[in-house]
Amino acid sequence: DADVTQTPRNRITKTGKRIMLECSQTKGHDRMYWYRQDPGLGLRLIYYSFDVKDINKGEISDGYSVSRQAQAKFSLSLESAIPNQTALYFCATSDYPGGVRGYTFGSGTRLTVV
Amino acid sequence: AQSVTQPDIHITVSEGASLELRCNYSYGATPYLFWYVQSPGQGLQLLLKYFSGDTLVQGIKGFEAEFKRSQSSFNLRKPSVHWSDAAEYFCAVYGQNFVFGPGTRLSVLP
């Protein structure tokens, strides 16, 4: 099994719908992150969590919310999806300090909002 | 604030040719620097990282990168490219969190 598992792998949803992307990890890492990837923009941080009780906004958190249900689970929600949220979403984990060994990434969720 | 630029959006090389992907960063302190590779349909895989010490670092798959403080650069190199190296490459700097560059897409001609 993958160290970081994202579900679903692909999703098409309609404008205005609520959608949840899920991430689970077996790395035992405390830190978890949600990024979105857009062509030519690289990866941009949406939210991050350093432990179960710690949630922080990233650079593009508007329109998103997260829930850290357990050390191993970190979900991203789009409360009312809009077309410009069409992107590839990645979950990542790291230990502390996170820079020492880099991130472990999931395989991504490709979300299309129509 | 930290930032990363990758001047080349897309590079095409012939198989067996040498490769250099450019990365420039902005960060107020000594940076932690990384290169990641993303194959189609996959997540990002760590190629190599620099924290301190020897400015030439070796990574997986035959890649290396050189940190040049005077130029704020961390360019990725490979002496002989293989067709399987076709992918997107991201440079990243780590401060409180990672900041990624926009990526360089590498195509390899047979």
Side-chain angles (χ1 to χ4, degrees):
Chain A
D1 289 340
D3 292 328
V4 181
T5 302
Q6 290 184 235
T7 55
R9 288 296 307 273
N10 292 281
R11 180 72 181 268
I12 299 174
T13 191
K14 293 184 177 180
T15 298
K17 292 292 187 180
R18 183 179 189 276
I19 183 170
M20 178 182 288
L21 309 182
E22 299 188 346
C23 176
S24 63
Q25 53 119 342
T26 58
K27 298 287 289 185
H29 289 168
D30 288 325
R31 299 182 171 201
M32 298 187 74
Y33 309 80
W34 276 105
Y35 284 86
R36 67 176 277 176
Q37 182 182 13
D38 300 278
L41 297 178
L43 280 76
R44 293 180 291 166
L45 183 62
I46 306 172
Y47 270 95
Y48 60 102
S49 169
F50 286 172
D51 64 41
V52 175
K53 297 180 181 179
D54 178 78
I55 301 289
N56 304 281
K57 293 182 177 180
E59 63 180 296
I60 54 163
S61 59
D62 287 349
Y64 301 94
S65 62
V66 291
S67 173
R68 185 80 183 266
Q69 301 95 322
Q71 186 206 35
K73 296 183 181 296
F74 192 37
S75 300
L76 176 71
S77 293
L78 287 68
E79 297 302 325
S80 179
I82 57 177
N84 76 0
Q85 291 176 314
T86 293
L88 185 57
Y89 290 84
F90 284 104
C91 176
T93 72
S94 70
D95 54 10
Y96 175 79
V100 175
R101 284 189 276 271
Y103 284 176
T104 300
F105 283 88
S107 297
T109 294
R110 184 167 296 280
L111 176 66
T112 303
V113 183
V114 298
Chain B
Q2 58 201 77
S3 66
V4 178
T5 57
Q6 294 179 247
D8 304 305
I9 296 173
H10 184 204
I11 285 180
T12 300
V13 300
S14 297
E15 191 169 19
S18 63
L19 171 70
E20 182 169 29
L21 302 182
R22 296 182 291 164
C23 171
N24 294 96
Y25 68 90
S26 173
Y27 186 59
T30 301
Y32 289 176
L33 295 162
F34 300 78
W35 275 99
Y36 285 87
V37 60
Q38 182 183 27
S39 299
Q42 301 297 315
L44 279 72
Q45 181 184 19
L46 180 65
L47 279 177
L48 48 76
K49 56 185 181 284
Y50 169 80
F51 299 147
S52 64
D54 192 347
T55 56
L56 184 64
V57 293
Q58 304 296 320
I60 62 171
K61 305 185 180 186
F63 285 92
E64 65 179 27
E66 185 171 14
F67 170 59
K68 293 185 177 180
R69 185 186 299 276
S70 62
Q71 298 177 18
S72 297
S73 69
F74 189 55
N75 294 348
L76 182 71
R77 301 194 294 247
K78 187 169 184 178
S80 177
V81 170
H82 188 264
W83 63 266
S84 61
D85 293 324
E88 188 143 21
Y89 292 80
F90 293 93
C91 182
V93 60
Y94 181 82
Q96 182 180 18
N97 287 306
F98 277 93
V99 172
F100 289 85
T104 297
R105 184 161 62 92
L106 174 65
S107 297
V108 180
L109 299 175

